[in-house]
Amino acid sequence: MQKNQKFYIVVFYLTHVVKGGDTIKKYVILLSSILIAGVLFSGCMQNETKTETPTLKVAYLPTDHHAALFVAAKEGNLFKDKYGIYMKEIEPKKKYELYENGKKVADVELVQVVEGGAKIMTLMAQNQIDIGLNGVPPAVFAIDKGTKAKIISALQGEGSAVVIRKDIPANNWEEFINWIKEQHANGKQVKIGYPLPISIQYVMIKKALEAEGITYTEDPNNKEAMVLLINCKGQKSMPQMLSQKELDAVIAWEPTPEVLKTEGIGKPIVYSKDLPPKGMWKDHPCCVIAASEDALNNKRDAVKAFLKLIVLATKEINENKELVIKDSAEWLGVDEKVEEESIPNMKFDTNPEPLKEGTYLFVDVMNKQGAMDGKLKGVSNKSEIDNILFDFSIYNEIMKELNE
């Protein structure tokens, strides 16, 4: 039986059974009404308390491309004292409370995904996460195929490299291309690994090989092509595959290139900004922040506070390299020397405007390859692409508040 039902029974009993005159009855009715009102009001307050603080589920990859998140999570006191917005750690790397101006805005649950950005967007499509930090291609492909999400901010650009086995006699991209040609002349096929088919690294290595006139295939039965491209299904297997000579080279995002270098497994020969075609990948977008439309509609204030913290964390990163090196090394469990080599290869910037041109280029390349089969199929109009992929309204509000 519910509490309110019990109170009504008490009232009925006191007013209809208890004797003692109308005056007593009036007092009983008044007292009972006050008690009932208190219970009802208390129930409403409890319901409000339960729903007023939303939970933001945020997915990210184990890469220093997402260093802004690591810094924001680890440097709560810094952001509290300096900006009045911060995350309070409840469980390291997993649970946090997000505060702004002394008020709790949201509970934040961090979800590390090792499989890649495509997995993050799948989780978003399944309503298991609200925000995803991942590459442009996974976000674009997912939205093309119907995932109800928008890219709400840039996060980071550049930050990938081609790494070859340490025993290969080449020290730069040009020498590596010549080595590939020599191997082909001797009847040998060069094997290059890439993280995932839905990744900017996959697109870049294909375009770079095409620019050099190097033929490639993904079919292991095709022995005529000069290069066999191999899907490594993430980057975890790359060190072992290189060291055991299952691969001759990989294209990977940081900090894997520097890990391979530090561990003596491979040597980076070209960073993504310098890959051919010449000038095509300079300042290229890499990682972005995507949010589900449900979160944008129903958790907007929480999303805004989280994005503001990331914007401020990015500012701190660009002003204090020692801080981001330390926090990234601790979060990822790598030596600080790795991050000292890795961080300078990236550009941390949340401004979404430069992101647009690189995204238009990616959509165009994917359409030419027949990879787009949904909302973006055959779409070349920039305004239409903007409407499908982007929502920068929250970011623009934040910039006005920060006077930037």
Side-chain angles (χ1 to χ4, degrees):
M1 184 180 293
Q2 299 296 315
K3 289 183 178 179
N4 292 347
Q5 291 177 313
K6 291 180 180 178
F7 271 107
Y8 283 122
I9 290 171
V10 171
V11 172
F12 179 86
Y13 177 80
L14 290 173
T15 56
H16 289 78
V17 179
V18 176
K19 307 298 182 180
D22 292 340
T23 302
I24 293 176
K25 286 184 179 181
K26 289 179 181 178
Y27 280 118
V28 169
I29 292 171
L30 177 61
L31 177 60
S32 300
S33 299
I34 292 172
L35 290 171
I36 291 169
V39 171
L40 292 173
F41 182 74
S42 174
C44 291
M45 288 298 289
Q46 287 175 2
N47 289 338
E48 278 186 25
T49 302
K50 288 179 182 177
T51 58
E52 70 178 5
T53 304
T55 297
L56 277 183
K57 294 187 178 181
V58 181
Y60 71 97
L61 302 173
T63 167
D64 47 19
H65 288 202
H66 300 169
L69 175 63
F70 309 157
V71 171
K74 291 184 68 65
E75 303 296 338
N77 290 334
L78 184 155
F79 290 100
K80 180 180 180 180
D81 295 341
K82 196 169 181 178
Y83 302 107
I85 183 169
Y86 65 100
M87 287 202 295
K88 178 183 176 182
E89 183 182 284
I90 304 301
E91 184 179 351
K93 300 184 182 181
K94 291 184 179 180
K95 293 184 178 181
Y96 297 80
E97 294 177 342
L98 177 59
Y99 289 85
E100 184 173 15
N101 299 323
K103 179 184 177 183
K104 184 178 175 181
V105 180
D107 291 303
V108 178
E109 294 182 8
L110 300 184
V111 180
Q112 179 177 283
V113 174
V114 298
E115 295 92 337
K119 176 65 174 180
I120 288 178
M121 295 308 297
T122 297
L123 293 174
M124 189 172 292
Q126 296 170 346
N127 296 317
Q128 294 188 47
I129 63 165
D130 301 298
I131 293 176
L133 280 61
N134 50 264
V136 172
V140 170
F141 275 114
I143 294 171
D144 172 64
K145 287 173 172 53
T147 299
K148 294 181 178 180
K150 297 290 184 183
I151 296 171
I152 64 171
S153 170
L155 184 63
Q156 161 273 339
E158 299 185 356
S160 297
V162 175
V163 184
I164 64 175
R165 285 200 331 264
K166 63 178 182 179
D167 60 304
I168 292 176
N171 294 298
N172 55 52
W173 174 255
E174 184 179 355
E175 291 178 359
F176 180 56
I177 292 298
N178 289 333
W179 184 78
I180 292 175
K181 293 176 179 177
E182 290 173 6
Q183 296 302 299
H184 180 66
N186 294 325
K188 296 179 181 178
Q189 192 175 58
V190 174
K191 297 177 181 179
I192 301 178
Y194 60 88
L196 294 160
I198 302 178
S199 66
I200 193 68
Q201 292 76 20
Y202 175 67
V203 177
M204 287 190 293
I205 193 62
K206 288 170 65 176
K207 295 296 291 184
L209 294 174
E210 289 169 8
E212 301 288 0
I214 301 294
T215 59
Y216 60 84
T217 183
E218 295 180 63
D219 180 2
N221 295 317
N222 179 353
K223 303 300 182 182
E224 300 301 317
M226 301 162 79
V227 168
L228 174 64
L229 293 177
I230 296 175
N231 178 8
C232 294
K233 300 178 182 179
Q235 301 194 160
K236 191 174 182 180
S237 64
M238 287 181 175
Q240 181 178 353
M241 293 180 78
L242 275 179
S243 61
Q244 294 183 355
K245 297 188 177 182
E246 295 175 40
L247 293 173
D248 299 299
V250 297
I251 182 168
W253 61 69
E254 297 286 10
T256 296
E258 312 316 319
V259 171
L260 293 171
K261 177 182 175 181
T262 302
E263 294 181 356
I265 297 171
K267 46 187 175 182
I269 55 166
V270 62
Y271 288 88
S272 53
K273 64 184 177 66
D274 296 319
L275 274 171
K278 186 176 181 180
M280 185 177 196
W281 303 110
K282 181 174 171 51
D283 298 323
H284 72 84
C286 187
C287 286
V288 296
I289 300 178
S292 70
E293 291 185 4
D294 180 69
L296 292 174
N297 292 330
N298 299 313
K299 303 178 183 180
R300 186 178 178 84
D301 290 343
V303 173
K304 181 178 177 180
F306 177 80
L307 181 56
K308 181 186 286 187
L309 183 59
I310 294 298
V311 168
L312 294 171
T314 301
K315 181 175 182 289
E316 290 297 319
I317 284 175
N318 289 322
E319 293 176 357
N320 189 345
K321 293 300 181 186
E322 291 183 2
L323 181 73
V324 65
I325 288 169
K326 175 182 71 70
D327 286 349
S328 293
E330 290 178 2
W331 194 284
L332 298 172
V334 299
D335 194 287
E336 282 194 21
K337 291 180 180 179
V338 169
E339 291 305 320
E340 287 172 2
E341 296 284 337
S342 177
I343 292 298
N345 296 322
M346 283 170 276
K347 292 189 175 181
F348 296 97
D349 187 4
T350 55
N351 182 6
E353 287 304 316
L355 165 69
K356 287 184 176 181
E357 288 301 323
T359 305
Y360 300 149
L361 172 64
F362 177 74
V363 171
D364 179 62
V365 170
M366 290 297 97
N367 263 320
K368 288 178 179 176
Q369 294 184 5
M372 296 296 182
D373 55 13
K375 293 180 180 180
L376 291 163
K377 183 177 180 180
V379 177
S380 58
N381 181 275
K382 293 182 178 180
S383 294
E384 191 173 351
I385 293 174
D386 288 351
N387 291 333
I388 293 171
L389 293 178
F390 303 130
D391 182 352
F392 300 145
S393 59
I394 292 178
Y395 182 85
N396 292 334
E397 287 175 18
I398 291 169
M399 289 300 101
K400 286 181 181 178
E401 292 177 9
L402 296 176
N403 295 317
E404 303 225 357

